[in-house]
Amino acid sequence: MSEARDSATAAPVPAPGGRFGRMGWGLLVLLTVGYFAAFAYEPTLFFALGVAHYDGWFIDTFALLASSDADTRGLDPYAPNPLDYFNRPHVYSHWWLHLRDLGLTRADSFRLGLGLVITFLVAALWRLRPRVPLQLLWYLAVLCSSAILLALDRGNNDLVIFLVLTPLVPCLLSPRAGVRLIAPFLVTAAAMLKYYPAAAGLVLLAQAGRPELRSRLWLTFLLLAAAGCSVAGDLAGFGPVAPQPAGLMTFGATGFLHELGWLGLGPKLAVAGLGLAGVAWAWRRAALGDWEPAAAQRSDWLHFILGAVLLTGCFFTSMNFGYRWVYAVWLAPALWVLPRDPDTPAPVRRLARATRWLLLVVLWWPPICCLIVNHFIGVLPSPTIMFLAKLSFLVEQPFDWAFFLCLLVFLTHFTRRRLAVLRGLA
């Protein structure tokens, strides 16, 4: 009865180029650009939504160029850097230090940061194509969230990873074998810049018959092994000085345990065990059955898997600043389409609907809390303000866990189905 009722009430997926058509995309562009332009015109708005602007634009871009400049001068880039505004050491792979080989210095930080932001917005807006007014509002809620605002304000290098991986799904969906072969190189390039994008290798299970899939996976293994050898020594350089994210505008499975005072290796082992238990449960239950997305949904589905595996991998392995939420852009279209497609099984629709609402909560809970807590600065004593901020973070944690467990079910389903192809069982 439940499946029949869901099928009866699910709205049909709007056809491309419907009544809303190009006007919806034009409105998305105008409203998004206008929203971010307001912060450029009045930077004090950053503080209201929980983003520390520091009276400077693209300070993370500046830090990368300052590390490159320090290396050029013979300084140790992995030590506190006197050329950076905040004396930050370099906490990424050595490949970023080759910015100097492109002729870039700290003097280029504003131009480079602005170019990075504009390119990201072009790529994100090209991906998001609203067909009805509510879909437009949904995309705005994702794209204009404070976490993405934080990444744009800082010119953070997660934007670079987003752009490197942007062609990944189009390559995999190409009818040309040579173009599909580019995909492993994109994953490897991203992993050489920052370690976590190696998780995007999961998406390489998609869109291939058994012979091509086996060849692709072997190539990916060899490339990632070579990349690992290239950057393994860098971790020893910046590991001891890497920042430790905490509080609002961060996420990670160990965050709740850290706030309760449980530190060290124990919390990491505990969350790893919980994550593996979630995968085992989803695998055994096969909660989504043998569902495969329709041909028209493949691009949205693979982008969803790409964003989901990057975010979920980060959640279960480390604490992360809010910059990582830029990959929510890839989640948004599938989370809109799947709950409304009457041909999609009811369990898939229900899970996608729950995931969409949880994404809305985890993106907007921190800025709403910041907006409220900031209102009491100067009214309440500082310890009370800190207590309210900590309480807000703790209240968010069950929603974070619920969201990532939903993603884990989708990822397990994808992996299970694609491995069945690899084994010749589907």
Side-chain angles (χ1 to χ4, degrees):
M1 285 292 292
S2 175
E3 291 198 15
R5 182 168 59 251
D6 280 354
S7 296
T9 57
V13 179
R19 286 185 298 175
F20 206 54
R22 294 180 179 177
M23 183 179 70
W25 187 72
L27 283 173
L28 179 64
V29 172
L30 289 175
L31 292 172
T32 300
V33 172
Y35 177 79
F36 291 122
F39 289 88
Y41 178 76
E42 186 53 67
T44 56
L45 294 173
F46 281 108
F47 180 74
L49 293 183
V51 176
H53 179 58
Y54 294 115
D55 294 323
W57 292 102
F58 315 130
I59 61 174
D60 288 352
T61 303
F62 186 91
L64 289 170
L65 294 172
S67 296
S68 180
D69 286 352
D71 192 48
T72 301
R73 294 189 182 190
L75 302 175
D76 180 6
Y78 295 103
N81 186 357
L83 304 182
D84 179 57
Y85 292 132
F86 305 103
N87 292 330
R88 289 171 291 180
H90 186 64
V91 292
Y92 307 106
S93 80
H94 68 277
W95 288 101
W96 293 99
L97 302 177
H98 290 284
L99 287 169
R100 66 179 183 273
D101 297 331
L102 302 176
L104 297 171
T105 69
R106 286 167 293 160
D108 301 299
S109 62
F110 184 84
R111 289 190 295 274
L112 183 60
L114 182 61
L116 179 59
V117 166
I118 292 173
T119 309
F120 166 79
L121 287 176
V122 169
L125 290 167
W126 189 257
R127 182 78 201 104
L128 304 178
R129 298 286 178 144
R131 304 301 181 190
V132 293
L134 279 178
Q135 190 179 15
L136 169 64
L137 293 178
W138 163 240
Y139 287 164
L140 285 171
V142 172
L143 197 53
C144 297
S145 59
S146 287
I148 293 181
L149 177 68
L150 176 66
L152 299 185
D153 173 55
R154 302 288 177 83
N156 186 262
N157 54 3
D158 279 335
L159 300 177
V160 177
I161 304 302
F162 182 97
L163 294 173
V164 170
L165 293 177
T166 289
L168 179 60
V169 172
C171 284
L172 290 173
L173 293 175
S174 172
R176 299 180 179 180
V179 175
R180 295 195 297 272
L181 191 62
I182 298 173
F185 292 91
L186 294 173
V187 173
T188 305
M192 291 173 71
L193 294 176
K194 301 187 79 170
Y195 298 88
Y196 72 86
L202 182 71
V203 186
L204 300 178
L205 288 170
Q207 290 303 115
R210 290 179 68 194
E212 181 181 343
L213 193 54
R214 290 176 185 272
S215 300
R216 182 192 297 166
L217 293 180
W218 273 112
L219 176 61
T220 303
F221 173 78
L222 294 174
L223 288 173
L224 288 178
C229 293
S230 171
V231 300
D234 299 333
L235 184 60
F238 70 76
V241 295
Q244 303 298 319
L248 289 169
M249 302 299 289
T250 69
F251 70 93
T254 57
F256 180 76
L257 301 176
H258 287 172
E259 288 293 339
L260 296 181
W262 189 16
L263 305 174
L265 184 61
K268 295 181 180 180
L269 294 176
V271 300
L274 289 171
L276 291 174
V279 170
W281 176 87
W283 193 287
R284 288 180 60 84
R285 287 290 302 272
L288 305 184
D290 292 331
W291 169 75
E292 290 286 348
Q297 298 170 346
R298 283 180 190 151
S299 179
D300 288 344
W301 173 241
L302 291 181
H303 277 98
F304 174 85
I305 292 298
L306 177 57
V309 73
L310 291 172
L311 288 168
T312 304
C314 289
F315 178 76
F316 280 104
T317 58
S318 63
M319 288 298 297
N320 309 269
F321 289 111
Y323 318 128
R324 298 282 196 274
W325 286 113
V326 294
Y327 307 117
V329 169
W330 289 330
L331 305 181
L335 291 180
W336 177 264
V337 170
L338 291 179
R340 288 168 166 75
D341 180 14
D343 295 326
T344 298
V348 180
R349 294 203 304 271
R350 287 194 293 267
L351 182 62
R353 189 179 302 118
T355 308
R356 185 181 66 210
W357 283 109
L358 287 167
L359 178 59
L360 198 61
V361 171
V362 299
L363 285 180
W364 282 96
W365 177 262
I368 290 174
C369 289
C370 287
L371 190 64
I372 295 172
V373 171
N374 290 343
H375 180 73
F376 292 102
I377 293 179
V379 178
L380 298 177
S382 295
T384 304
I385 296 294
M386 297 301 296
F387 172 78
L388 291 175
K390 181 175 181 177
L391 181 62
S392 300
F393 177 78
L394 291 174
V395 170
E396 180 192 353
Q397 299 315 296
F399 295 100
D400 283 3
W401 269 91
F403 172 74
F404 283 103
L405 288 175
C406 288
L407 293 188
L408 209 56
V409 174
F410 278 118
L411 291 171
T412 303
H413 173 79
F414 172 82
T415 305
R416 177 176 164 272
R417 293 293 298 161
R418 297 313 301 168
L419 289 181
V421 173
L422 188 62
R423 294 160 56 196
L425 301 178

